[in-house]
Structure formats: C-alpha cells, structure tokens
Amino acid sequence: MTDWANPGIDLHLDLGAGRGVRTRLEQALRQAVRDGRLAPGTQLPSSRVLAQDLGIARNTVREVYDQLVAEGWLTARQGSGTRVARETFAEPSRSKAAPVVSTTAELTESSHGQNYPYDLRPGSPDLSSFPRHVWLTASRRALAAAPHEAFGYTDPRGQLDLRESLAEYLARVRGVRTTPDLILVCSGFVQAIGLLGRALYKIGGRQIAVEAPGLPDPPTILRNAGLETVQLSLDADGACVDQLADEDAVLLTPSHQFPTGAAMPPARRTAAVAWASKHGAVIVEDDYDGEFRYDRQPVGAIQGLAPHHVAYAGTTSKSLAPGLRLGWLVLPPHLLEPVVCEKHLADRHCPALDQLTLAELITSGGYDRHVRHMRARYRRRRDQLVTALVQHAPHVRVSGIAAGLHAVLELPADGPTEDELVTRAQQQGLALTGMASFGSRTGPALVVGYGRPPEHAFAGALERLCAVLETTGL
Amino acid sequence: MTDWANPGIDLHLDLGAGRGVRTRLEQALRQAVRDGRLAPGTQLPSSRVLAQDLGIARNTVREVYDQLVAEGWLTARQGSGTRVARETFAEPSRSKAAPVVSTTAELTESSHGQNYPYDLRPGSPDLSSFPRHVWLTASRRALAAAPHEAFGYTDPRGQLDLRESLAEYLARVRGVRTTPDLILVCSGFVQAIGLLGRALYKIGGRQIAVEAPGLPDPPTILRNAGLETVQLSLDADGACVDQLADEDAVLLTPSHQFPTGAAMPPARRTAAVAWASKHGAVIVEDDYDGEFRYDRQPVGAIQGLAPHHVAYAGTTSKSLAPGLRLGWLVLPPHLLEPVVCEKHLADRHCPALDQLTLAELITSGGYDRHVRHMRARYRRRRDQLVTALVQHAPHVRVSGIAAGLHAVLELPADGPTEDELVTRAQQQGLALTGMASFGSRTGPALVVGYGRPPEHAFAGALERLCAVLETTGL
C-alpha cells in the first residue's frame, strides 16, 4: 500500500549534537513518534534512503530500526517496509467490539504520548475556559432570530451575518481591509489551507514556501493538494523573506512566528508584499493567535498592506476552542472564485448555527469581552512563567513572550538533550514538546504552551517545569 | 483560466424529442443553466467539440451559442470561450462594496433561478420545521455535560457519544451493522463522498459506477477526487446492477432511488453484494431519506447484508436541516484508515457542539419523535399530492411515492416539454425541476419535492402545480 499521505516519504530528523550517531538517531525517531510528528502506521524511508539522506552508514540505520522494532516503537513487515507501530500509545478503547484498527484513535492530539496530569505542549488554549454559558445565550438569540432559509443550503462563503460581523471586527482589531463578500468561513485553519492549496494548484500554482521551523501539518496538507513545499529560513525577525524567489505563494505566521515567536518587523513585511506584488504571488497569512498581544500595540495583519496579494486566515481555535472548527479566510479578489468553489465541492458550506451564534457573540460585544478576559489571564501566566524561570532556571533563555499562548525556552547546548528533558518531564507527569518537533536545527529548546493547562493546574505545571529545568543548570 | 471543476468539459444535454434540433439545443442549455446544473461562469465546450459530441452541425451550435449570448444566458469572450453568464440570476448583493465576483453568491441553490413564492424543487426538507426549541434544549444539556476535552482537538471520527448513539440508532432503524469505531461523522454527504473518493483513489481505485439518472454533484466530486465515473442504467427496480463489471465501486441510492424513487428489491441487493464481494469492490450506499418510508416496513440498508463491502452514508439534511452539515459514514474495516486520514487532512474533525447536541437528541428519544412527526407530515403531503393529481391531472402518472420527500410525475410524451412546463410554472410563481436535470433520457417528467414548502404554503404550491399540469391534458 502506498503511503498516500507522503508520497516521497520525507522524514525530517534533527540528530542534534553529542554522543554517537546511532544513539542520536534512536532518540530522534523516538521523539518524533512521541510527539506525534510520525503518526502510528506511518511508513518510514527504507534504510538505504534514510542513510543517504542523513549521510550515515546504512548498517547504522538498520540497527536503529531493529532496536526500535524490538522496543515496540516500529514494526517491520515483509513487503510493507518499516512503519511506526499502531499500538504505541493506544488509549483503551471504549467501544464494545475490539477496534479493527486503532490508528485512527491515535490521530487525536490528546492521545499522542498518553494523557499527562500536567500538559505544557503548545497548540491548544485552556479548554476549561470555553465560555459555555455565554455561548448558549448567544445561541438562543441566534436561533430565535434566524430566518428559516438560514437552515437550508446557503452561500458557500457562509452566513452573511457572520461575514459582516467579521469584516468589521477584523478591521477594528487586526487592521484587515476587506468586505463581507470576500470572506469565506471555514472549518478551521486545516480546511482553509487545504482549500487554498487546491485552488492555487488549479490556477497553475506549483510551489509554496513554508517557514522552517514551523508546524508540520500545513506542509503535509499543501503537498496533498499537489503543491511542492520549499523551506524558508527564519531569523530573530521571523521568516527570511529575502530568500523568496519564484515560488507561487508563501505561508507566513508574521504576528507571532510558530514556533519561535518572532514578530516580523515592518520593513520585512513591506519586503514580503513587494515580492508578492512583483511576482504575482500570494502571501498566506496564518494569524492563529493575533488577538493575544501583551506588551504593546498589536501588530496589524500584513493583509492590510496588500489586500490583493494576501490570503488572511483567522480562527477561533485559540480564542474560543479548537472543537468549534470555526475559522475564516479573507481572500484577495482573484482567489475568491477558485477557493470558494473548492469549499462548495468539499462540504458545501459551514454549519449554520455556530456561525449565527458567533455573529451574535461578536455583535453583542461578548466576543471582545471574552478575548480581553483571556488575554489578561494568558498575560498573567506569561508573567508567572517568566518570573519562575528567572528564579529557578536563570540559565534558560526565554523568547517569543510578547504574544500568544506559547514561548520558547532555549537550553544550554552542553546540557541534557530535548529528548532527555521531555522524558524526565514525563516521569514527573508533565508533557512537553521540543523544538526539534517543528524541524528546528538549532540548539536544544522547548516550546512551552502555557495557554493549555486549566487554571487550577497551571501552578503545578510550572512547578514541574522548573524542577526539570533546574536539572539542566550549570 | 482552465475550467478546473471539469477538466474535460463534459456537457450532458438531453435534447429530447420533437421540433428542430436548434430549438431543442437552446432549450436544453437554458434548462441546464436555470436548474443550476451549469453554474455561472462555467466554460462550455467549443462549438466544434459540442457539435461532434451531439452529432449535429457546427453551425447549429454556433447559432445557438450566439442566440443565448444575445439573450444573456451565455457570454463569449475572445480567448475565454463561451461561458455561462455570471449575472444570470444574481440576487441583489447585501454587501456594502460592489462584489468583485458574483459567481459565488450564485452557488447557493436557493438563488438559482431566483426565489419563487412557491417551490416544489426536490433536495430540501421543510426548513420551517427544524425543531429549534428542541435543539436548543438538547444543546443546553450537552453543554452542561460535556467534559472540557470535548472542545479540544479530538478523534477525527467524531465525538464518541454521537458514534455510540448512531450505532444503536442505525441498527434499530435501518438494520445497519457496525460499531462506534467504524463510524465517521462528516459535514454532510458532499464531504462524505469526497473523502471516500479520495480514499478510494489513494488505495488504487480508478472507476466508480454512478446511477444515471442521478444527482449531478456526486459524480463531479468523485471526478474531482481523480476517479472516472461510469454510468449505470436504471429500470423500475432501480440500478441495473447486472451491468456492473470491473469498476472499483458503485454509488447507489437503493432505498429510494434519486430521482426515480425506485426501491431496489431484495434479489437485486443480493446481486449487488455478490458482485462487490467477488470483485473486492465497494458499494457506497447513499441513504439520504431512509427514515421516510410510508407504506410498509422500511427497507433496511444494504449495509446490513455486507458490512465489509458497503460504505453507508446517512445524513440529517432531510430529517433535520441541510444547514447542520451533519452526516455520517459507516465504513467497511478496510476503508476506515484511508477515509479517516482524509478527514483528518480535510478539517481534523467535525465541530463538537452540534455532535454532542445530536447525541443528546438521539439518546433522549427526541430525534425519533421528530422523525416520526415529520414522517406523518410528509405522508400527509404525499397523500394530498396524489389525490390532487387524480382529480386535476389524471393523465399524469406519479411514481416513487412510497417513501421520501419527492415523487416523479410522468408527462404525456406528446404534450408540452419539461422546459415549457417549468416556464409556465415560473410564470405562476412556482419553481419546478424537470427530470432532464438529472440526466434522464426518457420521456418528459417532473421531479416534485413535496417536502420543501413550509406547511402554510403547501396547498398553494399544489394548486399551482395542478393548474400547470391541467394544461398538459389531452
């Protein structure tokens, strides 16, 4: 069976520094599986190909594969190659029959690497803070006011009420310049990037530049849409846009680079826009946590500089909850039809009720209030994190803290590896993620998602983090 | 710009019988645009290609294209070919800026051919019957009971609560045999068929048979996924499954064929399963209105005969409302992983709250009560339709009335054409759909969606329908 998710079986591994190459490869593969970067069932490159890619001996790769098969991380079957084991961290299934395949259960992020009592992995807000009562009240108002037609097959762009509220909100809060007819309501960023990818491909696009390090999923989705992804380096100011050449598009996280947290300064934004304009290319702006800026005036969206060259993606996944699957694309005019037609083919349009509820929430001011409230709470956590690190692990450099729900902790190069720290943390019941998960080739670092824990568990999570970091001190 | 939705620009036209070929071609094209089968902006084949396909003179096609351009149905631009006009039936846009492209607004089914005071087109239930209060109550309970994790990134198959409720419900009501781990919650049938199509392609499938006549969208979506569609004829018992050869899959509507309404008898179901089993092929069962059977014991799903060879698709689009975008796939084990992985790539999983609400509704018995209530209402309408036809248009043969939300009205072959009847109805403020919209090559017929009108408008719709039909009598 072909590995239909990754036809070229790209496998990025950061082997780090120190020790023997065999040990480093083992650790890198274990980490990649633990973090979920390599999902259960994923086919790995053959030992010959991986050895070539990494520039190491084929026997070394074979021995590592054998070792990890023996440990249960991988499986090897005649004619099927070496794959990530399916039963690695299976949660006990609640279904009455034995599941035929447990792989799908393991696609959930929460089940990757087991559930831990304390969790500082990035990627999620505090789920306990989803404002259920406020949402239900808005839902009741929305249901009372909605015309019957709202529950039929409607505009693929989404409910007009929501698009009008969003146009106003985004202009006010993020400096986005658009009109309701250019907004497409999507089922989160994953759908948005998939629709964009397919639309770009269909109008002739073939290459998109993606930040590296960065989230692994968007490039996978873009490649699945037929595009080739080209890596774009980062520095302290975010993506190195001067490296852009003749790609058809670039995917950026300019307000708060994921994972480094860098904010792209004005001159670089202007340069990105100039490049897009000159080449007729598209900037895809992933504004995943744009409402959470702590220390100064929010950095407006790049979209406001060039509405005809930027596809702006926003989401409620961090401000409300990932489970809503409610996001949006603000499209440049030339992409409206191709992208909206992909949406129509994909699932017609997004569900009506949640859209009407969000529109009501925005219009009533309830959404602003909630975001302000959460911004204050996440800022407090950011402060507590910084203070704790100063006290307990002054050798650790923290960055990316001006915004968002995560920060980067740079570790001493000669201390424990990311892998070792993550393991130590797990032994204390704390889940952590290393920077290598996102393709980083720089020194060891942790990406700490201080937004994730429920309020009552935050202090405990911070305690355990500091305990682990203290062991890295000189 | 390439026509990325239809790379081979397939254009199915039923030229019908009678009159001159030029008139028939004009009518067929106008009807196709009016019904929405040819969406605004769609590129038509060149006159040379269309003439070849239809076996008529090229000059005839040119003259027809010219005439329809003059009438405003089509546009012709140098280098862009002949296309369906974008402004054909545009609803006035509510957005403050002039829309850059009005095409996307016209993708909504309700705006196709304008909104009419009375609407008997198939494809929608009575939207005014969506049980808002019951839904809100279930939503409140669901919100009160949901654990925080339910609002995070969860299982791509959907909320377990809903999958458990569905497994039980489908077994009881449709004879479906499955377990919760083999159910995938989807954003309606459109998404389901797209995910299935891509999954089938990725595991090596290349051809899928589709009923003709049938809905035009699923074949478009399947072709978009890379599959080739092969037409499968129908007779009074539904799809002619003995014609199946070495296709990798077949898409059936066995309980109530759309649009003819035929119910597939047991012997033919068994034959379909035998074919699938022998060839290792997949039956995709679209059970779009399976809960609405009026005259006898419900016909169970084919899935119950062969859970390992059938992918069963169900939906709330007819039982609750299309705007919910809430459907499901019951998968054969070998398709679980490929299809679920496509879902994960497409949009991670469906939104949490509506799933939990539906689960609560099913568990509390509220869903069963609503379906029973609507079944009784739609049965009453079916009876009223049949009675009215017997009285006012006895020359019209009605079929497909044992189930569902639509019936087929066969018209005398020597009377007005479908096109003429639809136009006459429009003049009376009534929207109708002819069978030709679905690819039928048999005599003139109407597909009447008696489920669509709100209760208060049904009598008026029926009145106007009878008035139009009376003009067809001998």
Side-chain angles (χ1 to χ4, degrees):
Chain A
M1 182 170 111
T2 39
D3 183 344
W4 30 259
N6 286 301
I9 311 185
D10 241 6
L11 179 55
H12 173 80
L13 290 172
D14 176 18
L15 296 195
R19 309 259 185 92
V21 71
R22 177 181 158 161
T23 309
R24 282 183 272 138
L25 179 56
E26 281 178 22
Q27 288 174 348
L29 281 170
R30 282 194 210 101
Q31 180 72 20
V33 173
R34 199 186 298 119
D35 281 344
R37 198 159 62 80
L38 292 178
T42 304
Q43 189 171 355
L44 298 184
S46 68
S47 53
R48 180 182 58 78
V49 167
L50 187 57
Q52 242 170 32
D53 284 353
L54 297 175
I56 61 182
R58 184 178 184 180
N59 272 345
T60 302
V61 178
R62 272 215 192 104
E63 285 167 13
V64 168
Y65 277 181
D66 287 349
Q67 176 66 22
L68 294 180
V69 166
E71 289 178 8
W73 293 88
L74 306 178
T75 58
R77 265 184 210 95
Q78 195 75 328
S80 185
T82 306
R83 292 173 177 273
V84 178
R86 286 162 195 274
E87 301 290 340
T88 313
F89 291 112
E91 283 198 311
S93 171
R94 282 174 58 195
S95 66
K96 298 182 181 58
V100 177
V101 174
S102 59
T103 296
T104 47
E106 290 154 353
L107 280 172
T108 77
E109 286 191 19
S110 62
S111 67
H112 275 152
Q114 302 169 24
N115 281 327
Y116 291 89
Y118 298 94
D119 196 337
L120 286 172
R121 290 175 296 185
S124 175
D126 171 8
L127 298 178
S128 74
S129 73
F130 175 70
R132 301 185 191 204
H133 180 73
V134 168
W135 186 264
L136 188 65
T137 301
S139 200
R140 186 185 311 120
R141 285 205 210 102
L143 263 176
H148 298 309
E149 295 74 45
F151 294 100
Y153 290 107
T154 49
D155 195 313
R157 288 172 293 184
Q159 298 283 333
L160 182 57
D161 281 358
L162 178 57
R163 291 186 280 120
E164 286 177 336
S165 308
L166 281 173
E168 205 175 78
Y169 176 80
L170 293 173
R172 174 165 53 81
V173 172
R174 305 295 297 125
V176 167
R177 290 194 288 144
T178 190
T179 48
D181 60 298
L182 289 169
I183 295 177
L184 169 65
V185 182
C186 306
S187 297
F189 180 72
V190 165
Q191 185 184 57
I193 197 68
L195 299 178
L196 269 169
R198 287 206 285 279
L200 285 169
Y201 185 86
K202 280 184 169 167
I203 65 172
R206 289 296 176 266
Q207 267 195 349
I208 181 166
V210 296
E211 296 167 332
L215 276 174
D217 285 351
T220 300
I221 294 167
L222 290 164
R223 286 192 292 269
N224 198 47
L227 299 174
E228 182 194 335
T229 57
V230 174
Q231 293 201 340
L232 188 62
S233 320
L234 308 178
D235 60 20
D237 286 337
C240 299
V241 300
D242 55 314
Q243 291 178 10
L244 291 167
D246 53 5
E247 297 87 354
D248 303 289
V250 60
L251 172 60
L252 299 176
T253 49
S255 297
H256 190 236
Q257 203 280 328
F258 190 89
T260 67
M264 188 176 283
R268 199 169 282 196
R269 293 162 169 255
T270 306
V273 167
W275 166 83
S277 178
K278 178 179 175 189
H279 293 262
V282 174
I283 295 172
V284 181
E285 176 172 16
D286 177 9
D287 198 34
Y288 66 100
D289 64 0
E291 292 136 322
F292 297 107
R293 187 138 201 103
Y294 307 129
D295 290 345
R296 55 183 185 270
Q297 275 302 317
V299 184
I302 282 186
Q303 193 274 353
L305 302 175
H308 284 253
H309 298 288
V310 180
Y312 169 95
T315 176
T316 56
S317 290
K318 303 292 183 290
S319 56
L320 285 171
L324 285 181
R325 304 282 76 230
L326 203 42
W328 44 84
L329 273 174
V330 173
L331 292 163
H334 78 285
L335 282 185
L336 180 68
E337 194 186 332
V339 178
V340 171
C341 284
E342 287 299 320
K343 171 66 176 175
H344 182 73
L345 282 173
D347 58 10
R348 285 261 190 273
H349 54 75
C350 278
L353 191 44
D354 284 345
Q355 292 187 64
L356 296 172
T357 302
L358 180 60
E360 167 64 31
L361 203 58
I362 292 175
T363 305
S364 70
Y367 184 67
D368 273 77
R369 279 190 292 275
H370 175 73
V371 169
R372 271 202 305 276
H373 173 69
M374 294 312 299
R375 191 186 301 131
R377 286 176 84 188
Y378 291 136
R379 181 194 289 113
R380 258 199 310 277
R381 293 187 182 196
R382 187 275 314 257
D383 292 345
Q384 288 167 0
L385 170 69
V386 169
T387 303
L389 290 174
V390 162
Q391 286 179 352
H392 300 280
H395 52 287
V396 170
R397 181 169 170 267
V398 59
S399 61
I401 56 171
L405 277 58
H406 75 275
V408 174
L409 276 52
E410 290 169 40
L411 311 164
D414 52 353
T417 62
E418 286 177 17
D419 211 79
E420 285 166 338
L421 278 177
V422 169
T423 304
R424 283 183 210 179
Q426 283 172 353
Q427 286 156 1
Q428 302 216 23
L430 170 66
L432 292 176
T433 302
M435 184 76 103
S437 301
F438 307 108
S440 170
R441 296 173 186 277
T442 52
L446 297 172
V447 184
V448 172
Y450 55 85
R452 187 189 286 264
E455 202 69 0
H456 64 80
F458 186 68
L462 214 50
E463 233 175 81
R464 282 153 183 76
L465 173 67
C466 291
V468 167
L469 291 174
E470 273 170 338
T471 69
T472 72
L474 296 165
Chain B
M1 179 171 108
T2 40
D3 183 343
W4 29 258
N6 286 301
I9 311 187
D10 240 6
L11 178 54
H12 173 79
L13 290 171
D14 178 16
L15 295 195
R19 308 262 185 88
V21 70
R22 178 184 157 159
T23 308
R24 281 184 273 141
L25 180 56
E26 280 178 22
Q27 287 173 347
L29 282 171
R30 282 195 210 100
Q31 179 73 22
V33 173
R34 199 187 296 120
D35 282 343
R37 198 158 63 80
L38 292 178
T42 303
Q43 187 171 359
L44 296 184
S46 69
S47 53
R48 180 182 57 78
V49 168
L50 186 57
Q52 240 169 33
D53 283 353
L54 297 175
I56 64 182
R58 184 178 183 180
N59 271 345
T60 303
V61 178
R62 273 214 192 103
E63 285 167 14
V64 168
Y65 277 0
D66 287 348
Q67 175 66 22
L68 295 180
V69 166
E71 289 178 7
W73 294 87
L74 306 180
T75 59
R77 266 184 211 94
Q78 193 75 328
S80 186
T82 305
R83 291 173 178 273
V84 179
R86 285 162 195 274
E87 301 291 341
T88 313
F89 292 112
E91 284 196 312
S93 169
R94 283 174 57 196
S95 66
K96 298 183 180 59
V100 179
V101 174
S102 59
T103 295
T104 47
E106 291 153 352
L107 279 173
T108 77
E109 286 192 18
S110 63
S111 68
H112 275 150
Q114 302 168 24
N115 281 328
Y116 290 89
Y118 298 94
D119 195 340
L120 286 172
R121 290 176 295 185
S124 176
D126 170 8
L127 299 179
S128 73
S129 72
F130 174 70
R132 302 187 190 202
H133 181 72
V134 168
W135 185 265
L136 188 66
T137 301
S139 199
R140 186 185 310 120
R141 283 204 214 104
L143 263 176
H148 299 309
E149 296 73 47
F151 294 100
Y153 289 107
T154 47
D155 195 313
R157 290 172 293 186
Q159 298 282 334
L160 183 57
D161 281 357
L162 178 57
R163 291 186 280 119
E164 287 177 336
S165 308
L166 282 172
E168 206 175 77
Y169 177 80
L170 294 173
R172 176 165 52 82
V173 172
R174 305 296 296 124
V176 167
R177 291 194 286 144
T178 190
T179 48
D181 60 298
L182 289 169
I183 295 177
L184 168 64
V185 182
C186 305
S187 297
F189 180 72
V190 165
Q191 185 184 58
I193 196 69
L195 298 177
L196 269 168
R198 287 207 284 279
L200 285 169
Y201 185 87
K202 280 183 170 168
I203 64 172
R206 289 295 177 267
Q207 267 195 350
I208 180 166
V210 294
E211 295 167 333
L215 276 174
D217 286 350
T220 301
I221 294 167
L222 289 164
R223 287 192 292 268
N224 197 49
L227 298 174
E228 182 194 335
T229 56
V230 175
Q231 292 202 339
L232 188 60
S233 320
L234 308 177
D235 61 19
D237 287 336
C240 299
V241 301
D242 55 314
Q243 292 178 9
L244 291 168
D246 53 6
E247 297 88 355
D248 303 288
V250 59
L251 171 60
L252 299 175
T253 49
S255 296
H256 190 237
Q257 204 281 329
F258 190 90
T260 67
M264 187 177 284
R268 198 169 283 195
R269 293 163 168 254
T270 306
V273 167
W275 167 83
S277 178
K278 178 178 174 189
H279 293 260
V282 174
I283 296 172
V284 181
E285 176 172 17
D286 177 8
D287 198 34
Y288 67 101
D289 63 2
E291 291 136 322
F292 296 107
R293 186 135 203 106
Y294 305 130
D295 291 345
R296 55 183 184 271
Q297 276 301 319
V299 183
I302 283 185
Q303 192 275 352
L305 302 175
H308 284 253
H309 297 288
V310 179
Y312 169 96
T315 176
T316 56
S317 290
K318 304 293 183 290
S319 56
L320 286 171
L324 285 181
R325 306 281 75 230
L326 203 41
W328 45 83
L329 272 174
V330 173
L331 292 164
H334 78 286
L335 282 184
L336 180 67
E337 193 187 333
V339 178
V340 171
C341 285
E342 288 299 320
K343 171 65 176 176
H344 183 72
L345 283 173
D347 58 9
R348 285 258 190 275
H349 54 75
C350 278
L353 192 43
D354 285 345
Q355 292 187 62
L356 296 172
T357 301
L358 180 61
E360 167 64 30
L361 202 58
I362 293 175
T363 305
S364 70
Y367 185 67
D368 272 77
R369 280 189 291 275
H370 176 73
V371 169
R372 271 202 304 274
H373 174 69
M374 293 314 298
R375 191 186 301 130
R377 288 176 83 186
Y378 291 137
R379 183 194 288 113
R380 259 197 311 276
R381 292 186 183 197
R382 187 273 315 255
D383 293 347
Q384 287 168 1
L385 170 69
V386 170
T387 303
L389 290 174
V390 162
Q391 285 178 354
H392 300 279
H395 54 286
V396 169
R397 181 169 170 267
V398 60
S399 59
I401 56 172
L405 276 59
H406 76 275
V408 174
L409 275 52
E410 291 170 38
L411 311 164
D414 53 352
T417 62
E418 286 176 19
D419 211 79
E420 287 167 336
L421 278 176
V422 170
T423 304
R424 282 183 211 179
Q426 282 172 353
Q427 286 156 1
Q428 301 216 22
L430 170 66
L432 292 176
T433 302
M435 185 75 104
S437 302
F438 307 107
S440 170
R441 295 173 186 278
T442 53
L446 298 173
V447 185
V448 172
Y450 55 85
R452 186 188 287 262
E455 202 69 0
H456 63 81
F458 186 67
L462 214 51
E463 233 176 81
R464 281 153 185 75
L465 173 66
C466 290
V468 168
L469 291 175
E470 271 169 339
T471 71
T472 71
L474 295 166

